[in-house]
Amino acid sequence: METRTPRALMPTRWPVLLAAFAFVGLPFSWAACATTSSIPAVEGGLSAEAKPAPELIPPPQPPPFIGPPPASEEHWTMPDIGTRSPDFPLLPEESSSESRSVGSVTHGWLANARRIPQPHPYLQQLRVQHTRGLNFTSDAMLALVEQAGAHVVKKFPESVVPLGNFSAEGGGDIPYSFSHNSGRDADLGFFVLDSEGQPATPDNLVSLDANGYAEVVGEDGEIQHYYFDAPRNWALVEGLIQADSATLQYIFISNPLKRILLKEARKQGAKRDVVQKASVLLHQPGGALPHDNHFHLRIYCSKTDAESGCVDVGRKVRGYKSHAGARRNIIKKAAKLTGDAEADVRLAAVRRLHMLDASGERDAVIGALADSDARVRAAAARALGEFGVGSDALAKQLVAEEDPQALVEMISALGSIADRDAVDALVAALGVARPIQLPSGMPDAAQVTGAEMTDARIFVAQALVYTESARPVPALIAMLNSEHDGVRQSALSALRILTNYRMVPRAQTPDADGASIRERAVVSPGEVLQRAEAQKVEGEELTPAEIAELWQNWYAEHRAMGRDEWLAGGFRAAGYSVERLSVREVWDLCRAVADDDHLSYNAQRILMRLSKREPASLSWSKEDANFYWRRWFERRWKRLGAPPIPAELSTLK
């Protein structure tokens, strides 16, 4: 499982870097039915006591095609990865018309995304999902769903496949799922019947019980009854399996509904090989909700995708093709093109090696650090940061680099590598003033730093945050006496994140009992002193020297501790019951995600460590990140050994 968010997957880094600065405090038909009854037969039968038993009626008539509903006026904007039309580095003679799935389904993005056409003869997004804007996907997924929909229509004319969430334009994280990042996941709603045996289209996905039945309270307060339409749902699965436009990896669905579908397949006399494939592909995922309200499709990388940096994770079913040869060939081609006469070609080549995680070609990328074109040098630095190699070469080039964008990329790369050489190089750079002119293409640069001219040490301090190391703390404290306001503020923000303390707390809002959370904190004797000092100066105008003295005193008392002890102590000082950084304290950590910037950052990084996954939650609003992490752990707390979630934090109400 991946444990970090590859920067190769981000179409541009400037918005992310700037967002991070802002985050830490700087100015981020249906026709005749196959059954004799209009209500499908299900395993175990439908209980007459618990469910209505409609009379047998003739098969329902085809529903008319209805166009998609308009988007809601209250359209919620999802967390973004920085761009919805990401640029992709094409090599000479490559097609610019194909979609390209980059990275994995959980840590990826989508170039040249395809919007699902609406209206469509046999595809229609449900009303609730339509408002989300998640109607983009890859060429292969769109072709797959269209082929499957056409197959359903052959058996049941005028049927319309209900669509749920696909991907956002450009891909990236969505708050409704842990995947769907790179156009290779799609949710399809179940075909359902109403209590009269007529095809029904609910506004939203409907969760069905083990018998394929659901009761839903409508907007008018009336109870609506829905039944799993096994014949049409099997036709959809059959169409997906027989389609040749993509290779399926999974069709996630709950086990009870899977059994109903396979029983229906055998009843219809489906081909043995199709049923066998269905028995493998239909799968209830572990560690997640059982998928009792929709089909969740996942496909493997196509050849074009594999050449673009697409990554397949998880099981490999019969028929899987890795396209490893195509990937090796494109890597070899890109490495050779790093020496091309055209700078644009060299730039595309370095970026492509980065996307393909081609660390085996590190020498070619290190060589590009000396390229005559600053854009190539910047791209090479970014790639090396992701590869986690080249700190010595980066440190040497850092001293001589004159281009501001390349310089900042080198600084950030060293922060990503975070080995001893990288930290030493950054600490050395922190001690030398270095005025730079910000690139005109850097969004809102003047707003972030206050002027177009700034000091590179601002970016050095931020890069030291990436290291998550205690070693830079003394050097950062020294910067609190800098004459450059931006450098002081950046150093202060970095100190707060690296230590998880804030010497001068923000004013606290009392709770219902009249006491702030922090006033009820359980702290150590050393932390009592720190808080007393903070309370003494709270609300006063402190000079840089006084702030530096507070931090020097704090460091003198805490320097013998490990950074994890600092983090736990910082949470306790802020009023959270975090004795150690373990899953036992996960709910207080989730609470801290919505707190001050340094607490939110560190809480999310610890939750990433505990969950062994890295969503882009640090670039989201604190409210979105807080909900995401509560939901993630609420679904898994028993398996992880966490205590039950407090009722007020539950996301499954």
Side-chain angles (χ1 to χ4, degrees), residues 290-456:
H291 288 67
D292 56 9
N293 64 352
H294 68 281
F295 295 108
H296 178 148
L297 314 183
R298 180 168 298 165
I299 61 175
Y300 291 115
C301 304
S302 68
K303 177 176 177 292
T304 297
D305 293 337
E307 293 173 337
S308 305
C310 186
V311 177
D312 285 319
V313 178
R315 70 177 188 180
K316 308 299 187 292
V317 301
R318 181 178 298 179
Y320 168 71
K321 295 180 180 179
S322 68
H323 305 293
R327 183 181 180 276
R328 285 193 299 269
N329 290 340
I330 208 73
I331 289 175
K332 189 179 302 183
K333 179 179 180 178
K336 183 177 181 180
L337 289 173
T338 58
D340 193 86
E342 295 292 330
D344 286 348
V345 174
R346 299 197 302 273
L347 175 60
V350 172
R351 291 182 60 201
R352 194 61 164 274
L353 290 172
H354 184 189
M355 288 182 178
L356 289 161
D357 195 24
S359 58
E361 297 294 343
R362 67 187 68 184
D363 291 344
V365 179
I366 289 174
L369 282 176
D371 195 277
S372 60
D373 192 295
R375 299 173 303 159
V376 179
R377 300 197 299 274
R382 186 183 301 195
L384 292 172
E386 184 56 39
F387 295 165
V389 300
S391 55
D392 184 57
L394 283 163
K396 291 178 181 177
Q397 184 62 31
L398 185 67
V399 176
E401 186 56 60
E402 297 180 354
D403 179 81
Q405 182 169 355
L407 177 65
V408 172
E409 289 287 2
M410 292 172 189
I411 290 169
S412 188
L414 287 166
S416 296
I417 296 172
D419 60 14
R420 181 170 291 274
D421 289 340
V423 174
D424 288 347
L426 290 172
V427 169
L430 195 62
V432 180
R434 194 164 185 177
I436 59 172
Q437 178 79 37
L438 294 176
S440 59
M442 192 171 176
D444 302 323
Q447 295 180 25
V448 172
T449 61
E452 291 187 0
M453 283 296 297
T454 189
D455 194 306

Side-chain angles (χ1 to χ4, degrees), residues 19 23 42 164 183 233 244 250 257 275 398 400 411 436 494:
F23 180 80
V42 296
N233 283 313
D244 59 3
Y250 294 104
L257 298 180
V275 176
L398 185 67
I411 290 169
I436 59 172

Side-chain angles (χ1 to χ4, degrees), residues 201-233:
T201 304
D203 289 339
N204 200 353
L205 303 174
V206 176
S207 293
L208 304 171
D209 65 15
N211 290 318
Y213 170 76
E215 291 183 354
V216 177
V217 179
E219 294 181 358
D220 56 3
E222 293 187 7
I223 297 178
Q224 299 168 331
H225 307 277
Y226 295 108
Y227 302 85
F228 188 70
D229 189 345
R232 281 198 295 170
N233 283 313

